[in-house]
Amino acid sequence: MKLHEYQSKTIFSKYGIPIPKGRVAATPQEAREIAKELGGKVVIKAQVLVGGRGKAGGVKVANDPAEAEELAMQILGMSIKGLPVRKVLVDEASNIDQEIYFSITNDRAAKKPVMIASAAGGVDIEEVAAKTPEKIVKMHIDPIIGLKEYTARDVALAMGLPKQYMKDFTKIALGLWEVFKATDATLAEINPLVITKEKKMIALDGKMLLDDSALFRQVELEATRDTDEDAPAEIEARKYGLSFIKLDGNIGCMVNGAGLAMTSMDVIKLFGGEPANFLDIGGGADSKKVAAAMRIILTDPNVKAVLFNIFGGITRCDEVAKGILVAMDEVKPKVPMVVRLVGTNAEEGRKLLENANMITAETLADAAKKAVAAAKG
Amino acid sequence: MKLHEYQSKTIFSKYGIPIPKGRVAATPQEAREIAKELGGKVVIKAQVLVGGRGKAGGVKVANDPAEAEELAMQILGMSIKGLPVRKVLVDEASNIDQEIYFSITNDRAAKKPVMIASAAGGVDIEEVAAKTPEKIVKMHIDPIIGLKEYTARDVALAMGLPKQYMKDFTKIALGLWEVFKATDATLAEINPLVITKEKKMIALDGKMLLDDSALFRQVELEATRDTDEDAPAEIEARKYGLSFIKLDGNIGCMVNGAGLAMTSMDVIKLFGGEPANFLDIGGGADSKKVAAAMRIILTDPNVKAVLFNIFGGITRCDEVAKGILVAMDEVKPKVPMVVRLVGTNAEEGRKLLENANMITAETLADAAKKAVAAAKG
Amino acid sequence: MSILVDKNTRLIVQGITGNEGLFHTTQMVAYSDIVVGGVTPGKGGEKVLDTIPVFDSVKTAKDATDANASIIFVPAKFAADAMMEAADAGIPLIICITEGVPVQDMMRVRNYLDQKKVRLIGPNCPGLLTPGEAKVGIIPGNIAIPGNVGVVSRSGTLTYEVLYAMKNLNMGASTCVGIGGDPVNGTNFTDVLEMFQADPKTEKVIMIGEIGGNEEEKAAEFIKTKMNKPVASFIAGQTAPPGKRMGHAGAIIESGAGTAADKIKALEAAGVKVAKHPEEIPTLF
Amino acid sequence: MSILVDKNTRLIVQGITGNEGLFHTTQMVAYSDIVVGGVTPGKGGEKVLDTIPVFDSVKTAKDATDANASIIFVPAKFAADAMMEAADAGIPLIICITEGVPVQDMMRVRNYLDQKKVRLIGPNCPGLLTPGEAKVGIIPGNIAIPGNVGVVSRSGTLTYEVLYAMKNLNMGASTCVGIGGDPVNGTNFTDVLEMFQADPKTEKVIMIGEIGGNEEEKAAEFIKTKMNKPVASFIAGQTAPPGKRMGHAGAIIESGAGTAADKIKALEAAGVKVAKHPEEIPTLF
C-alpha cells in the first residue's frame, strides 16, 4: 500500500522528524487559505501515487495566497501519468542549501533492513547511484537489535555530512527507523532531506510503502487508503483477498498460485494468445472467493475466453468447481471457458463441472492452446 | 530501590495485570472511607519495606468500615522489624481458591532474566522451593528477544496450571515482563497470584526492586522513593553517590572500592576490632564526595577511630586528601585518624596531609592494627 | 536417500486442529507414517484422526514425541511466533506453509533462526515431498513418483505442474523442495542445490524460478562453480509486466536484477537448459 | 607471553576526551606504546596528547588504526551502546571500565557480544595489566612488576592491594585481569583461569574473589578438574553482614550460594590456599 507525501510526512512528524509547515488542500480556495496562514512563499505539490510529478509540472512555487490559488487550480486540473490530481499539499517554501537522500527499505538478499543515504540527494539520485555509486552509502540494520545511534552516526560520517549536522541527522535516522517499524513499511524515503540556509535539517518530501501482508495490524493506516486511483476491479479483488492485475489481452485467467498464474500467462503468449489479466486466487480459496474472481474477470469487455488453471494443493479443486458453478449461475457468461483441474480433489471437482458445458484440458499447454483457439472464435 | 506493595500493584495495573480494588491510607479515618467505598470485606495491609509483615500481624481482614478503621489504627500503630508502619493498603477481600507464585528476576549465572513460578504459591514458597524443588518452574527470557507468548504458555503448562487459566496467566506474564523492562526492575514478584472462587486471576500482592544503577532513566519512579525508613546517614550518602551501610562497631571506615572496603572490615576484625560501617566512596571520587563521606562517618557517636584506606586507581589520592582536609576543617574531628594512601597520585596526597596530624600506615594490615589500637584509646 | 525428509522424519504439525492443518495432516498421514503429533495451545490432551496426540506447545510436543521436524499451518499473524517457538524447542527443521507473513516479522525470524542454526523452509511454500517416503506439506502425493531427480522451486502450484509432467514421462523425484516465493525466507536455491549435489540418490536437478530478487543468479553461479550434476530450469514471469517500483531505494538496492531474461541468461551461461513452458522441463535432460 | 594484552596490542579509547578517559589515557601512554587512537563522537579529527588521533566512531577508528582492542570510559548511560558499537566495528576485545551500567543493559549486551564471539572484560573493572608491556585500564602501573604469577580479581582496588603486596615481596605478574564485580559481566574467573592454565609464562595464579554469586565455586570446580598450576586466593566480605534479599525469588534462584565461607570451603577442597588478609596471599605459594 502506497501513502501520499502528505500522509508520509504527517507520520514522520509524529516520530520527531522535522517537516515544513503545511497542509493538504482539495480545492484552490483551501490552498489560498493555507498559503495565507503560512505567510510568505509556499510550494504547491500534487498528491498522486506515482513518481515524476515534478518533471510533469506538478510542483510549483507561489509567492502569495492569490498565486497559490491560481497554481493550485492548474495542478488540481492536471493528470499525471494518467492519474487525476485530486489533492495538493501546500507547504511553506524552504531556502535549500543542500539536498540529502535518505531512506530505509528491505534488502531481501541480506534479510535485513538497509539505510541508503547520499549527500548528493534530489530527483537525480538514481543517476548518482548508477554513475557514482561511491556517493551512495548503504548500511544494514539488525532487525532484532534495531537501529543504534552509532550506526546512524556511521551513516552520517560515511556520506560526509558536515559534522555540525550529525546530531540532527542521527535523530532523524532513529525517527525514520521507528516509522519504518511502527508502520510495517517496506520503504520509508526522504528525498530530499534538506539543509536550509538557516542551518536546519528538514524532510522536504516523503514517500512510504507499506507491507500489504502486515495491514492486519495497521488498521488505522489501512483506513486512510486512497482508492481514488485504483480500478474498481482491483478494489473488488482486494476485498476478496485476490491478487489481480488488469492487462491488455483478451484471455481471462484464473489460476491458483502466483508462479503458476505467471506461467499460464507465459504459456498463453507462447501459443499466440494475449492474457487479459493476472489473477491469483491464492492458496485454500473457497467457492465465494472463486465466484468473486470469476465476476471480476467477466466484467472486462475485452475478455473473449477464460482459462481456469487450478492445480490443487492447499486449494481443493472441488471448492473451486463449486465457486465456478455459483458464478456461472449468477453471471451467465457468454464466452467460452477452458477448465483444467489437477491435484487435490480434482476428481470431485471435475464431476461437479461435468454438466456445465465447459472445455476441458489435461495439460497446461493443451489448455492454453484451447483457450487461444476459443478466443479467436 | 524497593517499592511498596501499593506502588508495585499500581504499576502492575498500568500494564494490564488485574489487581484488587483498593487504595492506600495514612490514617484510620481514610481506611474507613476506603472500606466504605469498596463495600463488603476488606483487607488492611501494612505498607513497610520488609518481609514477614503477615506473621507480624500486619495484615488483617475487616468486615465493615468501622472494623477497618479499628484495625487500621492497630496496624498504623505497629512497628515491624523495627520499622514503624506509616501507611496501610485497604484492598477489597478476595475469595481465594488457589495461590500461585510468579516472579521475574535476574539470573546472574545465566546472564538472563528468569521467570519463577509455582502452583504452590503463598508465604511458604521458600519452603516449597527447598523441600519440593520440582514444584518450582524456572524459565529464562532472552533479554534481546524478550518474553514470547509461547514461553509464558510453557511456564503455565510446566507448573500444571488448569488449562482454563492459560490465557489469563499468559497475559499477566507478558504484562509483568513489560513492567520488569519498563522500570529496570531486578525483581517483580506476585505472591500470591490468586485464582478466586469466581474464576478470576488477580495479583493479590506485589513486590518490586529496582536497579539503582538505572535510576537515572527512572526519574518518575525515583521521585516516589519512600525515605521514611532510611537512616539519615544513608539518605545523605545516597545524595553524594556513596555506598554506606551502618554497622555496630567503633572504627569508622572510608575506603575506595567495595571489595577493598569489605576487605578493610575483614582485616579490622582479624586484628580484633569492630567496623562501625561499610563505606565505599566509589571510583574517581572528588574532594566534595570525600568530605561528605567523612561527615557521615563522624556523625556516628560510636566511632572512636577512623581508618582511611585509599588505593588510587581511577580515584586520585590527592583528591581524596583534599577532601579529608576540607572535612577536617569543617568537622574538627576529635577521634584519631589512620590514613593509608597508595597508588595514583599517592605521593601528592601524602604531601597534602603532612601537617594534618594523622596516623599514617604503609600496609593494610599495619593500618588496621593502628586503627584497632587507636579505637581502644 | 533423499534430502531433508524421509521415512525416518518425526514430524509435528503446528496448527493441527485448524481447517488447513487438519485437512493436510489427513493427507500427510494417508501418504506416510511420519506425523508423530500436533500443537494447538489450549487443546493439549486431545487427539486428531484418533491416534495423533495434540499438545499445548512445541516444547511439550517435542519432549513427548522426540520430533525432529515441524510443519506450520497457523494464520499469518501467529506464524512468526510459531517459527520461533519451534526453534526455541530445539526443532532443527521447520517448514512454514503459511502465506502472508509480514516481511519485518520474517527478517526478525530469519535472523533469529540463523543464530540458532535452525533450517527453515518457507514461509509461503508447499513444503517437501520425498516420493514414497515422506510428504511434509501440501504437495499432492499422487502427482509424483520416486526417482533420481531433485526438484527445487520458489513457486507452489507451478511445482505441481512440473512434478505432474515428470510423472507423465515416468520420471521420478528424489526430493521436491518448495522454498516459497516470499522476499525473505528461510532456505534459498543455493542451499538446496548444495544438498542435492551432495545427495547420492539425486542424479539430476530441476530448478523452477521466477522473476524478482537475485537468487536464481546466485544459483547459476553455484551451478557453474560447484555442481557437476545436470540442471534443467524454468523461469516464470517471462511475459509479466514490470512490477511496482520501490521508490528510488528499490532501484538502488536491486538495480537491474530480477528480470526473467537476466535469470535465463545467467542460467544458460552456467550450462543449464531452460524450458519454454513447464511441461517441457523433464524433456530437457 | 601473557594473556589478552601485550606490547602488540593496538588499543583505542572510547570516551578519550572525557575527564577520566583523558587522565587514564595519559597514564596508559606513559606506561607503554599501545594506544593507537580514541573515539568521541563529534570530535573526530582532533588529537589528544599531541599525537593520538580522535575519531567520531569506533568504525572509523578501527578502519584507520587497525585496532584490536578497545577500552571504554564513557558514562554509564552510554556504556551499553559503546560496547555494542565496538563489537559491531569488529573489535575482538573490549574492556569496559565504566561502573554503574544498568543490569538489564548488561544482559542485552552480554548476550549480543556472545553471539558475535567478542571478549568483554568488565564492566566496572580496573582493566588489564601485563607489567612492562601493556597497561589497559586504570591499574596503577608502578605497583606491579613483570613475573610469572597470573592474577585475576572481581575487585578493583583490592587487586592493587595484592599486586602491591606481591611487588613488595619481589613477586611479579604475567598478566593481571580485573574482571569487575557487577552481577552480569563479560568474562568470569573460569574463562581467565583457562587462559592462565594455557599460558606458558604463567606458573602460578592468584584469584581474588568476594561474596555473592557462584563464580568462585565454579572456578573451584575448574581448578580441581582442569588445572595443574598452583592457585592461591582471598575472598573479601568474610565479615560482611548478609546482603539485602531479593524477595523470595533471590532465595530460590541463588539458594545458599554466595557466602564467603562456602566459597572458601569450595576453594580449599580444590587444593587452593586461601589467605586471611590480602597481603598474605603472595606468601602462600
Side-chain angles (χ1 to χ4, degrees), chain B residues 132-147:
Chain B
T132 48
E134 71 280 2
K135 287 191 183 166
I136 305 283
V137 173
K138 294 176 203 166
M139 280 195 203
H140 288 107
I141 298 172
D142 183 318
I144 294 174
I145 299 294
L147 176 60

Side-chain angles (χ1 to χ4, degrees), chain C residues 61-80:
Chain C
K62 161 107 165 94
D63 288 349
T65 65
D66 199 24
N68 59 14
S70 179
I71 185 162
I72 293 173
F73 285 100
V74 307
K77 67 160 93 171
F78 304 119

Side-chain angles (χ1 to χ4, degrees), chain B residues 63-134:
Chain B
N63 288 299
D64 53 54
E67 197 182 359
E69 181 172 357
E70 191 191 313
L71 292 174
M73 193 175 327
Q74 285 175 22
I75 295 175
L76 285 165
M78 290 173 63
S79 275
I80 296 177
K81 295 188 186 168
L83 294 177
V85 179
R86 298 180 205 266
K87 283 178 195 145
V88 292
L89 177 61
V90 184
D91 266 358
E92 65 177 1
S94 299
N95 294 311
I96 299 171
D97 207 42
Q98 189 184 348
E99 295 195 332
I100 292 159
Y101 175 89
F102 184 60
S103 70
I104 303 179
T105 186
N106 294 319
D107 183 351
R108 54 196 284 174
K111 321 285 184 200
K112 283 180 180 153
V114 63
M115 290 177 286
I116 305 172
S118 175
V123 288
D124 296 325
I125 185 68
E126 288 182 38
E127 211 178 303
V128 172
K131 290 196 185 152
T132 48
E134 71 280 2

Side-chain angles (χ1 to χ4, degrees), chain A residues 2 101 103 105-114 116 122-123 125-126 129 136 138 142-144 177 180-181 184-187 189 191 207 209 211 213-214 216-217 245 247 256-260 262-263 265-267 269-271 275 282-284 309 311-316 340 342-345 350 362-366, chain C residues 19-20 23-24 27 73 76-78 97 99-105 107-112 114-115 138-140 142-143 154-158 160-162 164 168 181-186 188 210-215 218 234-241 244-254 276-279:
Chain A
K2 284 184 193 176
Y101 175 89
S103 70
T105 187
N106 295 319
D107 183 350
R108 54 197 282 175
K111 322 286 181 198
K112 283 179 179 156
V114 63
I116 305 173
V123 288
I125 185 68
E126 288 182 37
I136 305 283
K138 293 176 203 165
D142 183 318
I144 294 174
W177 167 244
F180 189 82
K181 270 193 309 179
D184 271 300
T186 54
L187 173 72
E189 186 175 75
N191 186 34
K207 173 176 281 177
L209 297 178
D211 181 359
S213 295
F216 67 81
R217 62 186 175 204
I245 300 168
L247 300 170
N256 64 325
L260 191 57
M262 285 194 289
T263 302
M265 290 158 54
D266 290 349
V267 179
K269 267 213 160 173
L270 185 66
F271 292 112
N309 184 24
F311 212 121
I314 208 163
T315 305
R316 305 177 210 170
R340 173 173 179 258
V342 197
T344 308
N345 294 10
R350 271 185 232 121
E362 265 299 304
T363 68
L364 172 54
D366 184 33
Chain C
N19 254 351
E20 298 303 331
F23 176 80
H24 289 290
Q27 306 274 326
F73 285 100
K77 67 160 93 171
F78 304 119
I97 306 299
E99 77 174 275
V101 183
V103 62
Q104 292 196 19
D105 285 6
M107 288 192 294
R108 280 187 286 270
V109 168
R110 171 65 198 267
N111 280 271
Y112 186 68
D114 282 357
Q115 284 165 25
I138 63 176
I139 301 175
N142 59 352
I143 60 169
R154 267 170 78 184
S155 172
T157 45
L158 176 53
Y160 312 164
E161 200 68 67
V162 175
Y164 190 62
N168 287 340
D182 277 5
V184 176
N185 63 1
N188 57 33
E210 60 184 48
I211 50 171
N214 66 349
E215 293 298 336
K218 285 193 206 159
F234 174 75
I235 303 295
Q238 300 177 44
T239 62
K244 289 173 189 161
R245 285 276 306 280
M246 298 271 282
H248 295 299
I252 292 169
I253 205 77
E254 292 183 357
K276 289 208 164 45
H277 65 91
E279 288 150 336

Side-chain angles (χ1 to χ4, degrees), chain D residues 216-227 266-267 270:
Chain D
E216 288 81 359
E217 287 86 340
K218 285 192 206 159
E221 184 60 29
F222 179 83
I223 292 166
K224 201 171 173 176
T225 55
K226 304 270 169 65
M227 279 188 83
L267 287 166

Side-chain angles (χ1 to χ4, degrees), chain C residues 25-64:
Chain C
T25 298
T26 310
Q27 306 274 326
M28 288 192 284
V29 168
Y31 192 86
S32 58
D33 193 29
I34 58 170
V35 179
V36 297
V39 177
T40 298
K43 302 213 170 168
E46 299 181 8
K47 289 211 161 144
V48 299
L49 307 179
D50 296 335
T51 55
I52 299 168
V54 180
F55 300 89
D56 287 302
S57 73
V58 179
K59 190 177 186 302
T60 47
K62 161 107 165 94
D63 288 349

